[in-house]
């Protein structure tokens, strides 16, 4: 990097921006927001680690150093980084397959994934490849999130029901197994799960209005409103402990969680394991980045702040590399906790650093208390958290506006359920690109005529317009490129065949933004074939950049006697003459 | 198929079109053209079979029944079907890999490939998927052909030099091996090869002008001009026979070629072999179809005839299935022989049926004469035939007009040489699609102003135009879709930030051909964010189909107080008032 670039890069590191301006008064806001997020994060971190197939402490470790690193490097002021549901599911899916065949154990696989995905994010950020995520369309993301939420929810069934259900890529298989083995239901586990779900749902839907009627100060109210998962954890731990549900009744509990700060870990660098994990790490990076950057942008725009996609890549890269060296697993900016952080009043990333400190204190002092925590409680927390990701409204909206979008959404949704998480998102992305190409390969082509006595020309099928027998004006509503060149050539020749009196064809290029080499060849063909049919091809309204390109290959000479007109109106005036088109204004001296 | 469709399908079968109109006078033309093509085809068929790694008679078998079937079903009048160089190379490449590991022997593998590729072509034709080939851009095809010609030429080195060179995917390896083992050079073989090359090149470049000076009738002249390969074959057979070069001097010869009509064969249907060959068969189908249909179109347009891409798929499908059941290998319409057939005066596909009959006679009666044919002669025929495929001019043209096209061409060329034929064309196709997406993801955006006192608005950077401080008119030169939505949102916000006095932003949509769901969301975002900044968004020149879509989601209500104007001029007139823009004509009552 040159000096200028280095300086620019350093100036984008978040902490150099916010720390010098830090005000003492912000401290209380950041502290409170940090506390509230920590209250959510401790149970969520453990729950997501469980979802990823990892021991609960891994989720806590991933909630310390990565948050600090993001706080230093990130460009968002209020993004809350840490374990999230979808990334955890993807980790479970990829490592589960490898662990089944004994290639790698889950914990060390998670470190490798975190390291690879961190390195990729960092490199993509330094190479300024943030734009790549734009190639995932909204319908694909929406279908993916809904399906992933469903898969996540269903993966927790076994914890809710209290008997083992073999991991399967097909949700129908999971349901069938659960149904046929329902006799194995562990009633106390199921009862605890139902209790936890009830607490969470009531807390989420009923409590805020109740709290609003109390005279409690707002910070206290906020903390209480977000403490649902914590209350669940405390209540169910007490139940298990008091009634000895773990021992006697077979309720599955978390058990011994090692206490102490995160260990220093070194991801293993076995080449064949790494090469197997690279594609998955790439997808985890892309999906994680996408979730993170869209939350960050939403929050930033509410406060007129800016988020730089490439700086976000660097910061998330640093956070994941941090996770890899401190016993964690892949992290990203999560939707729900970021929103909580924002509404709780976080002003700067110091809030996240507070959160990290509180999680660290929990790992050091509170883990003995978590021994009796039922896994069913964590499963309930996960299910409630992901339920908001299922977005049926998006399907309806897409269907109304654009069937192709609705198709991408549903195919992605179906592919995630039937083919798995990774294959599903890849299928969705390919489909939405294919649909785009398909659309541009058969462009809208309109024969246009003159609107009244104006200089405007519009589609003859949609407007009351005048056309002229010897002149055919055709507007092509797409750039000309290899995928539509043959289609257009055929279409224009057919148009000429349908208008036997035509001697001049004016191709209106107002919507043509470029012409690639294949289409240029096709145009040259067209000139010849029209000439053979006694028709001269002209162009009108050619855009500047397109004309520059045509001039390079001396296209105007090939067009002779055809011409390039500034406007469709000018083409009519000069090809037909002012009398013919009956326009008095044109008889005036220019 | 419904009755109407069946009738339409039957009516497209070529023979129902040309046979009823057949005139006795066409017979002489078709007969002569058929003879000239047969003179070329007998040596070429054997040579291409050799290139494909198959015994020479396979090339002859593939030149009988497939030609008749194409003649019956095809929509082109003058296409000459049969073995071609590039398809033969692809067959060699895919079967070579499998034969090396003993999965399948070459001859039965070739039958399976012909059957699979025939079935695919037929199905694609019935499903009307002919448009799919449009997704291979001209630069990709050009790069592919040039590289394939190079690979083909180099693969013949061993026959020219007379010692074995192990098959390799890398041409550098082949060269290195040839160079380091040059001591093994078989001098008589090399001498024969040089003689054959000399005859062929002189025949091609020098003979036509010599012949033109003779008083020979044109048909005889034509036959002689195309007999170069045949002369080579006769001369070198005589040399080998007279001097016993085969036995004593180790010149490699064709040997026993079984005589008799093509055998009836049944491709094997082993599932695992078939599944291994499916991807290769698909590529062979696509490449073969592409070569065929482009030749057919070129020739048809010279005579104002029509070629139907889907009917061509059906006819080539039938031809390949025919090849599979009569001991052949994949065939398609070849460039050079079709051109010869056309210029020799072929009027209908009866010419091809004559060719097939003559090749059949050769197989029955002439094969004993081919015993002493040196493989070096066939190699020389191949080399001269493919040399015309190497097209350096295409690189220069592409480079001048469009660097991206030139890039696709060169990458495809390099990928074919470095990664192999199949991977090369796939890489090229992916790259050209990626380049297109990249281009549309960062569209050209222009701030426009008014040209003089006209109703025309042009890019302020390219034209002398007038702009107004409170109104920013921006033209986006691309459809709005997921890949460019984020880019545009950022760009428009930046434009507004650069013009602090702006209160109205008019987005000119003349080049916007559709807006997908992602871009719609992005537009709705933009309205909000501009509103927060005190700027109203308006649209102008929205195309009919786009407006229909926007109306479905009641976009105009969301735009309020922003409006949709018919033209940019109208937007200026109504937003600024006639006085402001100083246009007298606007003060007149409408």
């Amino acid at each position: 990097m040159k000096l200028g670039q280095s300086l620019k890069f350093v100036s984008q590191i978040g902490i150099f921006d916010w720390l010098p301006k830090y005000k003492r008064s912000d401290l209380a806001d950041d502290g409170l927001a940090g506390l509230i997020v920590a209250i959510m994060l401790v149970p969520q971190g453990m729950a997501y680690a469980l979802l990823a197939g990892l021991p609960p402490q891994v989720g806590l470790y991933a909630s310390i150093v990565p948050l600090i690193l993001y706080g230093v490097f990130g460009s968002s002021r209020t993004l809350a980084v840490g374990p999230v549901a979808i990334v955890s599911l993807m980790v479970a899916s990829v490592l589960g397959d490898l662990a089944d065949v004994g290639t790698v154990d889950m914990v060390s696989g998670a470190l490798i994934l975190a390291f690879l995905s961190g390195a990729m994010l960092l490199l993509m950020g330094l190479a300024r490849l943030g734009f790549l995520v734009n190639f995932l369309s909204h319908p694909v993301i929406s279908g993916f999130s809904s399906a992933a939420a469903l898969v996540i929810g269903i993966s927790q069934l076994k914890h809710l029901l209290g008997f083992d259900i073999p991991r399967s890529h097909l949700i129908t298989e999971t349901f069938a197994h659960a149904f046929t083995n329902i006799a194995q239901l562990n009633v106390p586990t199921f009862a605890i799960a139902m209790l936890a779900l009830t607490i969470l749902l009531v807390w989420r839907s009923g409590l805020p209005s109740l709290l609003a009627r109390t005279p409690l100060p707002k910070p206290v109210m906020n903390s209480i409103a977000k403490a649902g998962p914590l209350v669940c954890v405390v209540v169910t731990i007490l139940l298990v402990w008091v009634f000895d549900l773990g021992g006697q009744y077979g309720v599955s509990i978390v058990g011994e969680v090692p206490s102490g700060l995160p260990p220093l870990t070194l991801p293993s660098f076995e080449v064949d394991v790494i090469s197997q994990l690279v594609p998955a790490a790439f997808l985890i990076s892309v999906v994680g980045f996408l979730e993170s950057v869209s939350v960050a942008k939403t929050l930033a725009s509410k406060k007129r702040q800016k988020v730089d996609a490439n700086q976000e890549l660097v910061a998330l890269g640093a956070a994941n590399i941090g996770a890899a060296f401190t016993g964690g697993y892949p992290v990203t900016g999560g939707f729900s906790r970021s929103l909580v952080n924002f509404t709780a009043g976080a002003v700067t990333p110091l809030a996240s650093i507070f959160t990290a400190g509180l999680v660290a204190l929990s790992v050091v002092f509170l883990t003995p208390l978590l021994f009796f925590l039922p896994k069913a409680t964590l499963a309930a927390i996960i299910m409630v958290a992901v339920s908001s990701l299922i977005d049926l409204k998006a399907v309806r909206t897409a269907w109304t506006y654009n069937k192709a979008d609705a198709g991408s959404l549903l195919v992605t949704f179906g592919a995630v359920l039937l083919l798995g998480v990774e294959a599903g998102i890849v299928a969705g992305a390919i489909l939405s690109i294919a649909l785009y190409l398909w659309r541009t390969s058969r462009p809208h082509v309109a024969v246009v005529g003159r609107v009244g006595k104006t200089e405007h020309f519009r589609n003859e099928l949609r407007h009351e317009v005048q056309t002229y027998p010897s002149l055919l004006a055709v507007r092509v509503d797409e750039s000309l490129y290899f995928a539509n060149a043959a289609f257009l050539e055929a279409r224009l020749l057919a148009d000429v065949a349908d208008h036997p009196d035509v001697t001049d064809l004016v191709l209106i290029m107002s919507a043509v933004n470029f012409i690639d080499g294949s289409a240029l060849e096709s145009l040259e063909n067209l000139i010849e074939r029209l000439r053979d049919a006694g028709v001269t091809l002209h162009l009108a309204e050619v855009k500047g950049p397109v004309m520059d390109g045509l001039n390079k290959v001396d296209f105007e000479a090939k067009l002779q006697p055809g011409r390039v007109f500034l406007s469709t109106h000018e083409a009519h005036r000069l090809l037909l003459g002012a009398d013919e088109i009956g326009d008095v204004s044109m008889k005036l001296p220019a």
Side-chain angles (χ1 to χ4, degrees), chain A:
Chain A
M1 276 196 285
K2 299 201 190 113
L3 183 65
Q5 281 178 302
S6 313
L7 285 178
K8 189 169 172 237
F9 174 71
V10 167
S11 78
Q12 285 173 335
I13 292 177
I15 198 164
F16 292 128
D17 189 27
W18 59 263
L19 198 58
K21 305 179 213 155
Y22 202 84
K23 284 173 292 184
R24 188 176 293 245
S25 61
D26 295 339
L27 213 56
D29 290 334
D30 280 341
L32 179 67
L35 171 69
I36 296 178
V37 173
I39 290 173
M40 283 180 80
L41 184 51
V42 170
Q44 272 193 354
M46 291 193 292
Y48 290 150
L50 198 75
L51 165 60
L54 297 164
Q57 67 272 17
V58 171
L60 298 175
Y61 297 159
S63 307
I64 302 173
V65 173
L67 276 68
I68 300 172
L69 287 171
Y70 181 83
V72 170
F73 288 102
S75 69
S76 162
R77 294 281 171 277
T78 46
L79 190 73
V81 167
V84 303
I86 288 184
V87 166
S88 301
L89 171 71
M90 293 176 81
V91 169
S93 155
V94 54
L95 291 184
D97 288 345
L98 290 183
D100 283 352
V101 295
T103 313
V104 71
D105 73 285
M106 298 293 285
V107 174
S108 57
L111 295 179
I112 302 176
L113 272 183
F115 178 78
L116 285 178
S117 124
M120 285 178 187
L121 289 164
L122 194 60
L123 289 176
M124 284 166 73
L126 295 175
R128 316 198 71 70
L129 296 180
F131 73 91
L132 271 185
V133 291
N134 295 337
F135 286 95
L136 282 175
S137 71
H138 291 208
V140 168
I141 297 166
S142 171
F144 174 74
S145 309
S146 292
L150 213 57
V151 173
I152 292 170
I154 288 160
S155 75
Q156 300 304 304
L157 260 188
K158 60 180 177 193
H159 297 301
L160 243 58
L161 302 177
F163 60 89
D164 195 43
I165 300 173
R167 217 167 57 82
S168 160
H169 282 292
L170 288 178
I171 57 167
T172 47
E173 247 176 58
T174 310
F175 271 123
H177 189 97
F179 193 76
T180 51
N181 294 277
I182 198 70
Q184 295 178 37
L185 179 78
N186 182 298
V187 178
T189 301
F190 188 64
I192 285 182
M194 289 303 115
L195 176 68
L197 281 175
T198 310
I199 295 177
L200 289 167
L201 292 174
V202 168
W203 214 274
R204 192 170 72 172
S205 57
L207 199 70
S209 56
L210 272 180
L211 280 172
R213 282 185 234 151
T214 65
L216 289 170
K218 203 151 175 275
V220 178
M221 232 189 308
N222 268 338
S223 306
I224 295 177
K226 298 304 167 196
L230 190 66
V231 170
C232 263
V233 165
V234 172
V235 169
T236 55
I237 285 177
L238 287 174
L239 281 175
V240 171
W241 178 55
V242 170
F243 298 105
D244 191 18
L245 298 179
Q248 212 172 335
Y249 298 95
V251 170
S252 183
I253 57 174
V254 162
E256 180 93 21
V257 178
S259 58
L261 286 175
L264 282 183
T265 49
L266 192 66
S268 110
F269 291 99
E270 284 167 60
V271 174
D272 58 325
V273 176
I274 288 184
S275 62
Q276 284 187 65
L277 291 178
V278 160
F282 177 72
L283 286 176
I284 289 175
S285 308
V286 168
V287 169
F289 174 63
L290 206 66
E291 174 169 358
S292 187
V293 84
S294 49
V295 187
K297 277 190 177 169
T298 308
L299 299 180
S301 77
K302 285 184 200 278
K303 286 203 180 173
R304 306 290 190 93
Q305 291 165 344
K306 270 187 74 173
V307 168
D308 178 77
N310 293 310
Q311 182 58 28
E312 285 299 286
L313 279 169
V314 170
L316 289 174
N320 276 292
I321 291 173
F325 287 100
T326 57
Y329 78 112
V331 294
T332 193
F335 191 79
S336 55
R337 288 196 307 274
S338 296
L339 214 59
V340 168
N341 194 36
F342 180 85
T343 49
V347 187
T348 73
L350 204 59
S352 280
I353 296 174
F354 278 131
T355 303
L358 290 167
V359 175
L361 287 176
S362 313
V363 187
V364 174
F365 298 111
L366 303 182
T367 48
L369 304 179
L370 298 172
F371 186 88
F372 290 110
L373 175 59
K375 289 186 174 171
T377 305
L378 295 178
I381 292 174
I382 290 174
M383 285 180 135
V384 172
V386 298
S387 65
S388 62
L389 289 177
I390 298 179
D391 185 1
L392 292 177
K393 192 167 147 276
V395 188
R396 221 171 30 243
T397 313
W399 188 261
T400 317
Y401 180 64
N402 182 339
K403 301 285 180 288
D405 279 347
S408 312
L409 195 162
L410 293 172
V411 167
T412 311
F413 183 85
V416 170
L417 294 187
L418 297 177
L419 308 176
V421 183
E422 291 87 15
I425 196 159
V426 171
I430 290 175
L431 179 72
S432 61
I433 290 173
L435 284 172
Y436 171 69
L437 291 174
W438 164 253
R439 183 155 42 191
T440 58
S441 76
R442 342 206 80 192
H444 182 244
V445 176
V447 172
V448 303
R450 190 172 181 219
V451 181
K453 299 281 180 208
T454 68
E455 297 190 9
H456 297 295
F457 290 79
R458 290 285 181 279
N459 187 347
E460 65 169 3
L461 300 179
R462 291 180 163 263
H463 299 265
E464 191 75 31
V465 294
Q466 166 150 32
T467 55
Y468 306 88
S470 70
L471 191 161
L472 188 65
V474 178
R475 193 188 69 216
V476 177
D477 285 351
E478 194 60 63
S479 291
L480 312 183
Y481 78 114
F482 57 91
N484 62 25
F487 170 86
L488 282 174
E489 201 180 321
R491 166 68 200 258
L492 292 173
L493 288 170
D495 279 342
V496 168
D498 289 346
H499 296 78
D501 296 334
V502 161
T503 56
D504 294 277
L505 173 65
V506 177
L507 201 57
I508 303 169
M509 311 279 279
S510 55
V512 174
N513 304 312
F514 59 84
I515 301 175
D516 78 355
S518 309
L520 183 70
E521 259 183 76
S522 180
L523 271 185
E524 291 172 5
N525 262 344
L526 188 65
I527 295 173
E528 286 308 316
R529 293 175 67 178
L530 287 173
R531 185 173 293 154
D532 290 346
V535 176
T536 307
L537 180 73
H538 307 269
L539 304 183
E541 302 188 32
V542 182
K543 284 176 200 295
V546 174
M547 201 64 230
D548 290 348
L550 293 179
N551 286 337
K552 274 194 232 162
V553 292
D554 209 10
F555 188 79
E556 280 193 81
K558 292 174 190 155
L559 203 57
Q560 288 291 348
R563 298 176 47 187
V564 178
F565 297 104
L566 185 63
S567 70
T568 310
H569 184 65
E570 191 193 57
H572 280 70
R573 193 162 58 89
L574 294 173
L575 290 172
L576 298 173
D579 289 330
E580 173 110 14
I581 67 171
D583 187 338
V584 185
S585 72
M586 290 186 184
K587 291 188 181 165
L588 298 172

